[in-house]
Amino acid sequence: MDKHNPLLDKSLAFAARIVKLYQYLVKEKNESIISKQIIRSGTSIGANANEAAYGVSPADFIAKMQIALKETAETEYWLRLLILTDYIEKSHGESMLNDCLEIKKILTASLKTAKENKK
């Protein structure tokens, strides 16, 4: 799978931002609970999307993409919480939230297409 895949590219870049956010939360804010939650969910998005790209069947592809979508929703929650509690600057949080929502839209569209093609 060497061809350009916007979902994989965006989810990898997003995961890198999540890792940096985790480092900031731990080092600068001394936060350990939410930081662990967001690094798990935020990095899992791309991992599951990447796994889906190598799925052995349409059902496997859909299952992995559905997990990626659920992880995106969880990450969205944690980002909103970090913004509301002032753990992160609003502009930075909103930038990350926008990236998360863009990935969510791609996943939703991909799942819709995959489910229609499976019928």
Side-chain angles (χ1 to χ4, degrees), residues 43-55:
T43 57
S44 181
I45 298 165
N48 279 288
N50 198 61
E51 245 187 279
Y54 293 91

Side-chain angles (χ1 to χ4, degrees), residues 16-104:
R17 289 186 78 187
I18 289 290
V19 170
K20 290 176 185 174
L21 174 60
Y22 170 81
Q23 292 169 333
Y24 167 78
L25 290 170
V26 171
K27 291 178 185 171
E28 302 297 323
K29 297 291 188 173
N30 200 29
E31 200 299 311
S32 61
I33 305 299
I34 298 171
S35 60
K36 287 179 184 174
Q37 294 288 339
I38 199 163
I39 197 161
R40 285 186 189 116
S41 64
T43 57
S44 181
I45 298 165
N48 279 288
N50 198 61
E51 245 187 279
Y54 293 91
V56 295
S57 68
D60 187 34
F61 175 83
I62 290 169
K64 296 296 184 210
M65 292 293 273
Q66 195 67 51
I67 293 168
L69 181 60
K70 287 171 67 174
E71 296 294 341
T72 304
E74 182 180 345
T75 303
E76 177 185 352
Y77 172 83
W78 294 123
L79 286 170
R80 289 184 190 281
L81 183 61
L82 288 168
I83 294 166
L84 286 172
T85 56
D86 296 322
Y87 267 102
I88 56 176
E89 200 175 295
K90 187 175 181 177
S91 62
H92 185 251
E94 287 178 352
S95 171
M96 291 191 74
L97 189 57
N98 287 336
D99 287 351
C100 186
L101 294 174
E102 186 177 347
I103 292 167
K104 187 177 176 182

